[in-house]
PDB file of all heavy atoms in Angstrom:
ATOM      1  N   PRO A  90      63.569 -23.244-125.533  1.00  0.00           N
ATOM      2  CA  PRO A  90      64.633 -24.211-125.767  1.00  0.00           C
ATOM      3  C   PRO A  90      64.642 -25.272-124.667  1.00  0.00           C
ATOM      4  O   PRO A  90      64.366 -24.969-123.506  1.00  0.00           O
ATOM      5  CB  PRO A  90      65.911 -23.370-125.712  1.00  0.00           C
ATOM      6  CG  PRO A  90      65.478 -21.961-125.899  1.00  0.00           C
ATOM      7  CD  PRO A  90      64.091 -21.890-125.355  1.00  0.00           C
ATOM      8  N   TYR A  91      64.935 -26.488-125.041  1.00  0.00           N
ATOM      9  CA  TYR A  91      65.009 -27.566-124.060  1.00  0.00           C
ATOM     10  C   TYR A  91      66.091 -28.544-124.478  1.00  0.00           C
ATOM     11  O   TYR A  91      66.518 -28.577-125.633  1.00  0.00           O
ATOM     12  CB  TYR A  91      63.662 -28.291-123.932  1.00  0.00           C
ATOM     13  CG  TYR A  91      63.401 -29.246-125.061  1.00  0.00           C
ATOM     14  CD1 TYR A  91      63.779 -30.584-124.961  1.00  0.00           C
ATOM     15  CD2 TYR A  91      62.815 -28.820-126.241  1.00  0.00           C
ATOM     16  CE1 TYR A  91      63.583 -31.461-126.007  1.00  0.00           C
ATOM     17  CE2 TYR A  91      62.606 -29.691-127.280  1.00  0.00           C
ATOM     18  CZ  TYR A  91      62.993 -31.008-127.169  1.00  0.00           C
ATOM     19  OH  TYR A  91      62.806 -31.880-128.218  1.00  0.00           O
ATOM     20  N   ARG A  92      66.508 -29.339-123.492  1.00  0.00           N
ATOM     21  CA  ARG A  92      67.394 -30.478-123.796  1.00  0.00           C
ATOM     22  C   ARG A  92      67.098 -31.566-122.775  1.00  0.00           C
ATOM     23  O   ARG A  92      66.743 -31.295-121.627  1.00  0.00           O
ATOM     24  CB  ARG A  92      68.859 -30.068-123.837  1.00  0.00           C
ATOM     25  CG  ARG A  92      69.546 -29.939-122.559  1.00  0.00           C
ATOM     26  CD  ARG A  92      71.037 -29.592-122.746  1.00  0.00           C
ATOM     27  NE  ARG A  92      71.596 -29.267-121.483  1.00  0.00           N
ATOM     28  CZ  ARG A  92      71.506 -28.103-120.869  1.00  0.00           C
ATOM     29  NH1 ARG A  92      70.906 -27.096-121.465  1.00  0.00           N
ATOM     30  NH2 ARG A  92      72.022 -27.917-119.685  1.00  0.00           N
ATOM     31  N   ILE A  93      67.217 -32.782-123.240  1.00  0.00           N
ATOM     32  CA  ILE A  93      67.017 -33.947-122.382  1.00  0.00           C
ATOM     33  C   ILE A  93      68.329 -34.707-122.335  1.00  0.00           C
ATOM     34  O   ILE A  93      68.906 -35.030-123.372  1.00  0.00           O
ATOM     35  CB  ILE A  93      65.882 -34.848-122.924  1.00  0.00           C
ATOM     36  CG1 ILE A  93      64.564 -34.081-122.926  1.00  0.00           C
ATOM     37  CG2 ILE A  93      65.776 -36.129-122.105  1.00  0.00           C
ATOM     38  CD1 ILE A  93      63.410 -34.809-123.584  1.00  0.00           C
ATOM     39  N   GLU A  94      68.785 -34.948-121.111  1.00  0.00           N
ATOM     40  CA  GLU A  94      70.002 -35.716-120.890  1.00  0.00           C
ATOM     41  C   GLU A  94      69.662 -36.799-119.892  1.00  0.00           C
ATOM     42  O   GLU A  94      69.412 -36.509-118.709  1.00  0.00           O
ATOM     43  CB  GLU A  94      71.115 -34.813-120.365  1.00  0.00           C
ATOM     44  CG  GLU A  94      71.507 -33.728-121.354  1.00  0.00           C
ATOM     45  CD  GLU A  94      72.414 -32.674-120.741  1.00  0.00           C
ATOM     46  OE1 GLU A  94      72.125 -32.189-119.628  1.00  0.00           O
ATOM     47  OE2 GLU A  94      73.414 -32.359-121.392  1.00  0.00           O
ATOM     48  N   GLY A  95      69.589 -38.031-120.370  1.00  0.00           N
ATOM     49  CA  GLY A  95      69.181 -39.136-119.511  1.00  0.00           C
ATOM     50  C   GLY A  95      67.751 -38.938-119.063  1.00  0.00           C
ATOM     51  O   GLY A  95      66.854 -38.807-119.874  1.00  0.00           O
ATOM     52  N   ARG A  96      67.552 -38.853-117.743  1.00  0.00           N
ATOM     53  CA  ARG A  96      66.201 -38.648-117.193  1.00  0.00           C
ATOM     54  C   ARG A  96      65.949 -37.191-116.809  1.00  0.00           C
ATOM     55  O   ARG A  96      64.984 -36.879-116.138  1.00  0.00           O
ATOM     56  CB  ARG A  96      66.004 -39.548-115.979  1.00  0.00           C
ATOM     57  CG  ARG A  96      66.075 -41.040-116.315  1.00  0.00           C
ATOM     58  CD  ARG A  96      65.906 -41.936-115.108  1.00  0.00           C
ATOM     59  NE  ARG A  96      64.789 -41.586-114.249  1.00  0.00           N
ATOM     60  CZ  ARG A  96      63.509 -41.921-114.462  1.00  0.00           C
ATOM     61  NH1 ARG A  96      63.190 -42.591-115.545  1.00  0.00           N
ATOM     62  NH2 ARG A  96      62.577 -41.575-113.608  1.00  0.00           N
ATOM     63  N   MET A  97      66.848 -36.292-117.228  1.00  0.00           N
ATOM     64  CA  MET A  97      66.746 -34.883-116.853  1.00  0.00           C
ATOM     65  C   MET A  97      66.319 -34.030-118.050  1.00  0.00           C
ATOM     66  O   MET A  97      66.828 -34.188-119.155  1.00  0.00           O
ATOM     67  CB  MET A  97      68.076 -34.359-116.331  1.00  0.00           C
ATOM     68  CG  MET A  97      68.563 -35.044-115.068  1.00  0.00           C
ATOM     69  SD  MET A  97      67.451 -34.909-113.662  1.00  0.00           S
ATOM     70  CE  MET A  97      67.463 -33.160-113.382  1.00  0.00           C
ATOM     71  N   LEU A  98      65.399 -33.110-117.784  1.00  0.00           N
ATOM     72  CA  LEU A  98      64.914 -32.144-118.769  1.00  0.00           C
ATOM     73  C   LEU A  98      65.280 -30.756-118.280  1.00  0.00           C
ATOM     74  O   LEU A  98      65.000 -30.395-117.132  1.00  0.00           O
ATOM     75  CB  LEU A  98      63.390 -32.251-118.908  1.00  0.00           C
ATOM     76  CG  LEU A  98      62.672 -31.111-119.626  1.00  0.00           C
ATOM     77  CD1 LEU A  98      63.034 -31.092-121.113  1.00  0.00           C
ATOM     78  CD2 LEU A  98      61.166 -31.243-119.454  1.00  0.00           C
ATOM     79  N   THR A  99      65.921 -29.978-119.135  1.00  0.00           N
ATOM     80  CA  THR A  99      66.175 -28.572-118.869  1.00  0.00           C
ATOM     81  C   THR A  99      65.374 -27.787-119.891  1.00  0.00           C
ATOM     82  O   THR A  99      65.472 -28.040-121.093  1.00  0.00           O
ATOM     83  CB  THR A  99      67.671 -28.236-118.993  1.00  0.00           C
ATOM     84  OG1 THR A  99      68.409 -29.062-118.098  1.00  0.00           O
ATOM     85  CG2 THR A  99      67.937 -26.777-118.683  1.00  0.00           C
ATOM     86  N   ILE A 100      64.545 -26.852-119.432  1.00  0.00           N
ATOM     87  CA  ILE A 100      63.711 -26.051-120.322  1.00  0.00           C
ATOM     88  C   ILE A 100      63.660 -24.638-119.763  1.00  0.00           C
ATOM     89  O   ILE A 100      63.509 -24.443-118.557  1.00  0.00           O
ATOM     90  CB  ILE A 100      62.300 -26.666-120.470  1.00  0.00           C
ATOM     91  CG1 ILE A 100      61.452 -25.882-121.472  1.00  0.00           C
ATOM     92  CG2 ILE A 100      61.608 -26.824-119.141  1.00  0.00           C
ATOM     93  CD1 ILE A 100      60.153 -26.584-121.855  1.00  0.00           C
ATOM     94  N   ASP A 101      63.837 -23.649-120.629  1.00  0.00           N
ATOM     95  CA  ASP A 101      63.782 -22.259-120.182  1.00  0.00           C
ATOM     96  C   ASP A 101      63.259 -21.371-121.301  1.00  0.00           C
ATOM     97  O   ASP A 101      62.773 -21.862-122.314  1.00  0.00           O
ATOM     98  CB  ASP A 101      65.145 -21.796-119.648  1.00  0.00           C
ATOM     99  CG  ASP A 101      66.245 -21.828-120.687  1.00  0.00           C
ATOM    100  OD1 ASP A 101      66.000 -21.491-121.870  1.00  0.00           O
ATOM    101  OD2 ASP A 101      67.377 -22.180-120.345  1.00  0.00           O
ATOM    102  N   ASP A 102      63.379 -20.069-121.131  1.00  0.00           N
ATOM    103  CA  ASP A 102      62.856 -19.129-122.124  1.00  0.00           C
ATOM    104  C   ASP A 102      63.904 -18.723-123.150  1.00  0.00           C
ATOM    105  O   ASP A 102      63.677 -17.828-123.949  1.00  0.00           O
ATOM    106  CB  ASP A 102      62.278 -17.892-121.443  1.00  0.00           C
ATOM    107  CG  ASP A 102      63.347 -17.015-120.820  1.00  0.00           C
ATOM    108  OD1 ASP A 102      64.519 -17.453-120.712  1.00  0.00           O
ATOM    109  OD2 ASP A 102      63.012 -15.881-120.436  1.00  0.00           O
TER     110      ASP A 102
END
Side-chain angles (χ1 to χ4, degrees):
Y91 78 92
R92 80 177 171 279
I93 298 173
E94 297 169 313
R96 297 179 47 81
M97 297 300 296
L98 166 68
T99 303
I100 184 169
D101 62 39
D102 70 348

